[in-house]
Amino acid sequence: MNATNYFDQSAANWDKEPRRIEHVKAVGEAILRETKPTKDMDVLDYGCGTGLLGLFLLPHVKSVTGADSSSGMQDVLRTKIRQGNISGMTAIQLDLEKESLSQRRFHMIVSSMVMHHVADLERVASAFYEMLLPGGALCIADLDSEPGVFHAKDVAAGVHHCGFDRRAFQNRLEASGFVDVSVSTACFIRKPASDGETRDFPVFLMVGRR
């Protein structure tokens, strides 16, 4: 199963997993702590899924655009926005490996647990750089390098990277033009791995500036 099909099929029940809610809260708190966003900022949440991270950040910023390649995830987010009468949050379908977002620019771009599903990291990192306003912040949360057991076997076809070496990932961002890149541990995800063991998987938050 490819990643898009998996996320389309999982969207309706995505928010029912308490572990995901806890993880997003930890990442969101780390972003607030490291970037101190303000109410005049427009934010892009890339690979937003059902909008959990974007909605967490929304009270602290001017607007959040939730972008995802999964139509199923986008449908769930649009329903949340409509039923909750949420202002300042919009949902768009976007795959930066295949397309661009015209001339829109943002003060901050956030992306959580997305990059290990991205085949062309250089293209997406360059797109992030182009979409940021001068001085804008890129915040990426993802897995540290792991032995390929984080994802269940039926999801593995949509996984291009078994986490990341922090230093190597920082070098990728700097090669795309980002400066003042810093990294911290946002949280640990405790879950049963595909090898049958329950493990604690560390998640880093990397922040760079345009």
Side-chain angles (χ1 to χ4, degrees), residues 94-109:
L94 179 67
D95 183 347
L96 288 174
E97 289 190 89
K98 301 175 181 177
E99 58 193 320
S100 63
L101 195 56
S102 64
Q103 299 301 312
R104 292 197 61 184
R105 297 292 180 266
F106 300 90
H107 299 92
M108 179 168 17
I109 296 174

Side-chain angles (χ1 to χ4, degrees), residues 10 20 25 45 52 69 73 77 88 91 110 122 132 139 149 159 180 187 197 202:
S10 303
R20 292 193 179 110
K25 183 174 184 292
D45 179 6
L52 293 172
S69 61
M73 291 289 186
L77 176 53
V110 301
E122 285 76 15
L132 278 171
C139 305
V149 297
V159 177
D180 299 329
C187 64
E197 295 186 19

Side-chain angles (χ1 to χ4, degrees), residues 7 10 74-75 98 109 127 145 201 207:
F7 289 118
S10 303
Q74 288 287 283
D75 287 344
K98 301 175 181 177
I109 296 174
S145 297
F201 294 92
V207 178

